[in-house]
């Protein structure tokens, strides 16, 4: 049975007598990804190996869009049936960073945590729109409407960055705070009209 699953791209071996089951589409996409971004694909296989019950894996950011610079880190979000402990999160993060020799930004949710995040966080839509989604449990879409509270909290965060820029004496840091505030405001504006194209946001920032 196992050999049939492996041939059918439903499983891959992680060691002697150890296999991980996943959707054929996910396996094939990771295999194809390895030809374009070997490290990103390796991160995917590491995630499925470490978390056999992984419900969703999302790559986002410059590594996923093919715009990464030499020093760009890896942005990854995982969704598990139950919450991941801080120790478990750090263990996987260190293992991944050692394997990739790159910094990994890891966001981990339980299924319930992800559902709450989807309801309250406008920026998740941008990640899903630009990123690579491996949806083992069918939870990526459809997403609920963003709650008003989510917009309000994000707006307050943008205001915090703007206020920090006003108080910052270092010109470089001031510019960074202002850029972050502007980026968040433009993303919120786009989210209000259901446009989650981050490329357009970057173009407007450049203008």
């Amino acid at each position: 049975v196992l050999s049939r699953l492996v041939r059918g791209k439903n499983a891959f071996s992680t060691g002697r007598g150890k296999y991980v089951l996943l959707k054929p589409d996910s396996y094939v996409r990771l295999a194809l990804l390895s030809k374009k971004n070997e490290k990103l694909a390796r991160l995917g296989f590491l995630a499925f190996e470490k978390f056999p019950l992984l419900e969703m894996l999302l790559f986002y950011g410059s590594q996923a869009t093919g715009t990464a610079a030499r020093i760009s880190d890896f942005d990854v979000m995982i969704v598990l049936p139950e919450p991941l402990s801080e120790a478990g999160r750090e263990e996987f993060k260190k293992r991944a960073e050692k394997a990739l020799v790159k910094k990994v930004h890891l966001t981990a949710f339980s299924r319930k945590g992800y559902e709450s995040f989807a309801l309250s966080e406008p920026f998740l839509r941008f990640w899903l729109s630009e990123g690579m989604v491996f949806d083992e449990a069918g939870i990526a879409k459809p997403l609920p409407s963003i709650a008003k509270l989510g917009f309000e909290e994000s707006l307050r965060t943008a205001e915090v960055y703007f206020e920090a820029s006003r108080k910052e004496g270092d010109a470089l840091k001031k510019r960074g705070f202002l850029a972050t505030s502007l980026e968040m405001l433009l993303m919120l504006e786009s989210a209000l009209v259901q446009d989650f194209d981050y490329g357009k946001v970057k173009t407007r920032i450049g203008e």
Side-chain angles (χ1 to χ4, degrees), residues 33-57:
L33 178 60
S34 66
K35 298 178 181 179
K36 297 180 179 180
N37 190 326
E38 188 272 335
K39 288 190 175 182
L40 193 60
R42 193 190 315 173
L43 178 57
F45 281 116
L46 281 173
F48 280 111
E49 177 183 346
K50 176 64 178 178
F51 309 109
L53 299 180
L54 188 61
E55 296 191 346
M56 188 175 83
L57 170 69

Side-chain angles (χ1 to χ4, degrees), residues 128-201:
L128 291 170
S129 176
E130 72 171 6
M132 300 179 186
V133 185
F134 299 86
D135 190 7
E136 296 296 292
I139 61 175
K141 295 182 179 179
L143 293 174
S145 298
I146 305 168
K148 179 182 178 182
L149 180 62
F151 284 103
E152 292 175 343
E153 289 181 349
S154 296
L155 181 59
R156 281 196 291 270
T157 301
E159 290 174 344
V160 168
Y161 278 105
F162 179 74
E163 288 301 319
S165 73
R166 295 180 62 186
K167 299 175 182 177
E168 180 58 56
D170 183 275
L172 187 60
K173 291 181 179 180
K174 178 187 289 287
R175 183 178 178 181
F177 287 139
L178 281 172
T180 300
S181 179
L182 176 60
E183 179 185 45
M184 294 185 71
L185 290 173
L186 290 175
M187 290 175 74
L188 286 172
E189 183 182 57
S190 295
L192 284 169
V193 295
Q194 300 294 300
D195 183 356
F196 302 106
D197 186 341
Y198 184 65
K200 293 181 181 178
V201 173

Side-chain angles (χ1 to χ4, degrees), residues 2-3 5-7 9-22 27 45-46 48-49 95:
L2 277 174
S3 61
L5 288 172
V6 172
R7 288 196 303 272
K9 310 304 182 185
N10 285 93
F12 68 93
S13 174
T14 61
R16 188 171 182 178
K18 297 181 180 179
Y19 294 85
V20 174
L21 298 176
L22 67 165
Y27 183 95
F45 281 116
L46 281 173
F48 280 111
E49 177 183 346
R95 179 182 178 189

Side-chain angles (χ1 to χ4, degrees), residues 39 63 69-74 96-97 100-104:
K39 288 190 175 182
Q63 293 286 355
R70 185 177 60 85
I71 61 173
S72 296
D73 58 7
F74 289 82
E97 289 179 341
L100 304 180
V101 197
K102 288 278 187 178
K103 193 168 184 62
V104 173

